[in-house]
Amino acid sequence: MKKATFLICFLLTQISFSYGQLRYTNHHEVGLLTYATSIGQSGFSALTNHGVALNPKVSLLLGTGVEHYLYDRMEHKVWIVPLTGGVRYLSKPEERSSFVVAGDLGYGLAFSKDDESSNEISSGGIKVNPMLGWRWKLGEKRSWLQAGVGYHFQSIKLKAADNKGETINFDVIPGYIPNQTISGKTSVDMQRIVLRLGFGF
């Protein structure tokens, strides 16, 4: 992951030297990560992205923040700190409002501990987040508001142990006994619809 972050920073630096007249830009977003009809089963995200505008239509950004998920039918919880590189494309930047295409790719660092008895250990994985939206300018300044909807993919790896130190699985299995040793690791690919509001300049 360190190599990927270094590569993204290096590319942004090279682009800055190549274009010469790049402008700093930032995007801040909050969103709802949903996979069910109940709001109580949804997660949320709060992200900040900073980068450069190559031209009025295209921006490149590096982002981080915090995201909260519920996963599987047992409603386990996990916190993610994403590290991403992304692109934003405006169809008509000269207009008061414009269609937006966005995409982020990166890695999510995972942290999880439901309760003292589960002793959960979690590690993160790949994050992918394409989005479509609409942006509105605020007055004559560069600031704006944005609303969007997209697909959100986050992979995590999990391991747990009961109070005796034996490994257990998170999956809901018929006839499962809480202290029964079943397996030590499981992988979860979390796929969500994301509804997001943002602002920036």
Side-chain angles (χ1 to χ4, degrees):
M1 187 56 208
K2 291 182 179 179
K3 291 182 179 180
T5 302
F6 174 79
L7 179 60
I8 293 172
C9 293
F10 176 77
L11 290 176
L12 288 177
T13 302
Q14 294 303 308
I15 292 171
S16 298
F17 283 117
S18 298
Y19 280 78
Q21 296 182 340
L22 299 181
R23 177 177 60 82
Y24 165 76
T25 184
N26 61 80
H27 300 191
H28 312 284
E29 301 169 309
V30 293
L32 185 68
L33 302 170
T34 179
Y35 69 106
T37 56
S38 172
I39 295 297
Q41 293 179 297
S42 299
F44 68 87
S45 66
L47 306 173
T48 180
N49 299 274
H50 302 264
V52 293
L54 301 182
N55 54 55
K57 289 189 174 184
V58 180
S59 299
L60 298 179
L61 304 107
L62 296 176
T64 189
V66 63
E67 296 177 328
H68 181 258
Y69 294 84
L70 295 176
Y71 62 91
D72 76 28
R73 286 172 288 177
M74 294 176 70
E75 295 188 352
H76 287 88
K77 302 173 184 178
V78 65
W79 292 89
I80 298 288
V81 175
L83 303 172
T84 62
V87 61
R88 304 291 185 272
Y89 173 80
L90 290 176
S91 61
K92 298 180 179 180
E94 70 282 358
E95 301 291 337
R96 177 68 66 179
S97 62
S98 175
F99 179 68
V100 181
V101 178
D104 293 305
L105 175 64
Y107 188 90
L109 304 173
F111 304 91
S112 177
K113 189 174 178 65
D114 282 350
D115 53 59
E116 295 181 357
S117 63
S118 66
N119 297 320
E120 287 187 30
I121 301 172
S122 55
S123 60
I126 296 297
K127 170 183 174 172
V128 181
N129 180 206
M131 288 190 62
L132 300 175
W134 204 263
R135 181 177 297 185
W136 297 271
K137 291 182 181 179
L138 298 177
E140 298 301 324
K141 298 182 179 180
R142 297 187 306 185
S143 56
W144 47 263
L145 291 176
Q146 181 174 304
V149 61
Y151 167 75
H152 197 103
F153 174 89
Q154 175 67 60
S155 179
I156 58 173
K157 294 180 177 63
L158 301 162
K159 181 171 66 176
D162 63 15
N163 288 328
K164 298 178 182 179
E166 298 173 322
T167 56
I168 60 176
N169 199 327
F170 292 112
D171 296 333
V172 178
I173 300 174
Y176 171 71
I177 301 173
N179 289 325
Q180 180 181 357
T181 299
I182 298 178
S183 66
K185 296 182 180 180
T186 185
S187 179
V188 179
D189 292 336
M190 300 182 292
Q191 302 183 66
R192 302 290 188 270
I193 295 173
V194 57
L195 306 174
R196 191 167 288 156
L197 295 176
F199 70 93
F201 55 86

